[in-house]
Amino acid sequence: MIRHALMDDRFAVIALLRESHAAAGADYKFEAARADALFRHHLQSAMACVLVLERQGAVCGVLMASAFDHPFGAGLMAKETVWFVAPHARGRASLAMLDLYEEWARAVGCTTIGMAALASNDVSNLYLRRGYAPAETHFIKSI
C-alpha cells in the first residue's frame, strides 16, 4: 500500500533515509537528527509531501518532495527530495509511488515536476519511459 506518511512512520522513514544515504555512497556522515528534521518539515508543510510504501505493516519505501515557485517563471514546480525503496520491495509498487507523487503535484497546482537519478542507481530510463525529459546534470565535489 502507498499512502501519505503519518508521524508514527518517523522512525521507519529515518531508517530508510539512513539506508538511502549508504546506498548513495555519500562521503559525509548520516545525521539522524537532520533526517528527522527533514521528515518533519515535509510532513508538516502544505507545500511538501511524504509518501510511504508499506508492506505487511512495515514501511519499506519513502518519497519526499516539495513544491516551489520556479525561479525562472515556469510556475509551481514539484521536486523530489528523496526517493528510496528498500531493495526487497522494489518493483511495480515503486511506480505507484511515482503515480501518487504526480497526483499530489497536480493537486497543489504544479505545472512541472522533477525527479533525480543517482549515479549509483541510475533510473533515467524509467523516467524517460514515464515522459520525463533530461534537464540538467548536477555534479558534486566534497571540499
Side-chain angles (χ1 to χ4, degrees):
M1 162 189 2
I2 291 114
R3 59 177 174 76
H4 289 270
L6 305 170
M7 187 55 81
D8 289 347
D9 298 316
R10 179 175 156 231
F11 293 115
V13 168
I14 292 169
L16 285 169
L17 294 175
R18 180 184 302 277
E19 192 175 343
S20 172
H21 179 270
D27 63 356
Y28 52 89
K29 78 176 200 168
F30 178 81
E31 294 183 34
R34 286 185 182 265
D36 183 33
L38 184 71
F39 171 74
R40 288 172 184 270
H41 168 76
H42 280 72
L43 191 67
Q44 295 166 354
S45 172
M47 296 307 285
C49 74
V50 182
L51 305 175
V52 293
L53 168 61
E54 183 180 324
R55 285 206 179 142
Q56 299 173 341
V59 173
C60 52
V62 61
L63 193 158
M64 288 189 211
S66 59
F68 61 93
D69 189 28
H70 193 280
F72 297 117
L76 278 180
M77 178 177 186
K79 184 77 173 112
E80 164 226 357
T81 305
V82 62
W83 184 25
F84 182 77
V85 177
H88 74 274
R90 293 179 182 162
R92 294 225 174 264
S94 299
L95 298 177
M97 288 185 90
L98 192 54
D99 289 338
L100 189 55
Y101 165 49
E102 292 175 1
E103 288 175 25
W104 168 82
R106 277 191 285 283
V108 297
C110 291
T111 58
T112 54
I113 188 168
M115 294 296 291
L118 293 172
S120 61
N121 184 23
D122 187 0
V123 292
S124 300
N125 287 332
L126 165 73
Y127 298 148
L128 291 170
R129 285 192 307 271
R130 303 245 337 173
Y132 291 79
E136 56 187 70
T137 301
H138 294 252
F139 293 87
I140 296 175
K141 176 182 178 180
S142 293
I143 54 171

